[in-house]
Amino acid sequence: MSRPSVRLVRASTIAVLVTQMMIAVTGAVVRVTGSGLGCPTWPQCFPGSMVPVSHADIAPLHQVVEFGNRLLTWVVAAAALICLLLVWRVRPTRPRLRLLAGAVLLGVPVQAVIGGMTVLLDLRWWSVSLHFMASAVLIWLSGLLVKAAGEGDEKPLPIVTGRMRGVLVALMVVAAAMVFAGTLVTAAGPHAGDPSTPRLPIPIPILTQVHGLLVMAYLCLLAVFGFWLRGTSPTRGLLRAYTVACLVVLAQGVLGSVQYVTGVPEGLVVAHVLGATVVIATASLLWAESRYRGKPSEPRRARSNVSESRPVGG
């Protein structure tokens, strides 16, 4: 039986990342349309039925939106399973790649259970925040998986200095805090997923200011990292990841500001959640690109451009 090519494995990891981002975005669609309890129980949609049924108190649209989001979980799971099966057939074996693919696959049912508990808890704000943070972790791991599929398993060679690595650690911590603060803004806002759901009793302006300060801190750390990056010999991948990370968070900041001053319209909320998933993914890739692990082994693969992975100045 032929072994999967590097290109095929990498494509499967990209599919994993995209589906993980998609289900976070469709979760936002569920919330802004008030469809969070379109299927009022879990794991069934209605008591005694796995699919929507006619109900006088629940609009058909809400049922379709929530049930569609649940169905997408199977697409996410299928993408993760296919990826793991392909990774398992790679020779020579790739322990790190297997570990990442396995972790993402195991995370899918965990995320599904958290989503189910959110429904059973009637969309309590803290459970919705936890649900999104779980998605953030899976998106982060999926970003690492994408990078791992296109590299080798050599001992990691640091591309950045020790102090720059420290800035990267701070960047990731601030990114996590920034995303979590964003979930709190949502928790206090008007889009609860269901009109009867209690909201976080903290003034939205205060939460928005905290979220904005964390965005500014993230931008400042990116600026420091970029200033020090000039004195190193970065790979093209690291330069690309850094540039995209800067552009994405700037665009996300502008979108968030517009969303706030326009009264958080539903469309902009969904777009902002999409932007958040891209911020998480680019942060993950920036972290992964800070080390060089060689090129993946594939006896019959075409020779690739070495400059894509080796330091520019090296």
Side-chain angles (χ1 to χ4, degrees), residues 29-115:
V29 173
V30 170
R31 194 172 67 245
V32 300
T33 57
S35 304
L37 296 179
C39 286
T41 187
W42 187 87
Q44 296 179 322
C45 183
F46 282 85
S49 176
M50 296 297 294
V51 299
V53 296
S54 179
H55 195 285
D57 296 328
I58 302 177
L61 175 63
H62 293 168
Q63 294 186 34
V64 170
V65 172
E66 167 62 9
F67 188 66
N69 183 246
R70 293 190 182 193
L71 286 180
L72 186 58
T73 300
W74 294 102
V75 177
V76 175
L81 178 59
I82 291 171
C83 179
L84 180 60
L85 292 176
L86 288 173
V87 165
W88 211 264
R89 292 176 52 216
V90 170
R91 295 293 182 273
T93 58
R94 302 284 310 280
R96 181 167 172 269
L97 193 57
R98 286 182 175 185
L99 178 63
L100 285 169
V104 173
L105 179 58
L106 289 175
V108 174
V110 172
Q111 172 72 318
V113 170
I114 294 174

Side-chain angles (χ1 to χ4, degrees), residues 98-169:
R98 286 182 175 185
L99 178 63
L100 285 169
V104 173
L105 179 58
L106 289 175
V108 174
V110 172
Q111 172 72 318
V113 170
I114 294 174
M117 294 303 298
T118 298
V119 172
L120 297 177
L121 289 167
D122 294 327
L123 309 180
R124 293 289 189 271
W125 68 264
W126 55 267
S127 66
V128 176
S129 293
L130 177 62
H131 193 32
F132 187 83
M133 292 306 294
S135 282
V137 171
L138 289 175
I139 293 169
W140 164 268
L141 290 174
S142 298
L144 298 183
L145 180 64
V146 170
K147 173 59 179 173
E151 64 184 3
D153 288 305
E154 298 177 12
K155 182 178 179 181
L157 174 66
I159 297 173
V160 299
T161 63
R163 64 179 181 178
M164 291 176 68
R165 191 71 177 177
V167 172
L168 268 181
V169 172

Side-chain angles (χ1 to χ4, degrees), residues 13 24 150 187 201 205 234 287:
T13 64
W287 174 270

Side-chain angles (χ1 to χ4, degrees), residues 159-171 224-232 238 290:
I159 297 173
V160 299
T161 63
R163 64 179 181 178
M164 291 176 68
R165 191 71 177 177
V167 172
L168 268 181
V169 172
L171 264 172
V224 172
F225 184 82
F227 179 78
W228 284 344
L229 193 63
R230 298 168 56 195
T232 64
L238 179 58
S290 67

Side-chain angles (χ1 to χ4, degrees), residues 181-253:
T183 69
L184 296 184
V185 175
T186 299
H191 303 297
D194 187 80
S196 62
T197 300
R199 311 309 293 134
L200 175 63
I202 298 178
I204 293 179
I206 293 177
L207 293 172
T208 302
Q209 288 174 12
V210 172
H211 183 53
L213 288 173
L214 287 168
V215 173
M216 292 173 60
Y218 188 79
L219 283 169
C220 288
L221 288 169
L222 276 176
V224 172
F225 184 82
F227 179 78
W228 284 344
L229 193 63
R230 298 168 56 195
T232 64
S233 296
T235 63
R236 295 189 189 280
L238 179 58
L239 287 174
R240 190 163 48 232
Y242 174 74
T243 301
V244 173
C246 291
L247 293 175
V248 166
V249 76
L250 284 171
Q252 179 73 337

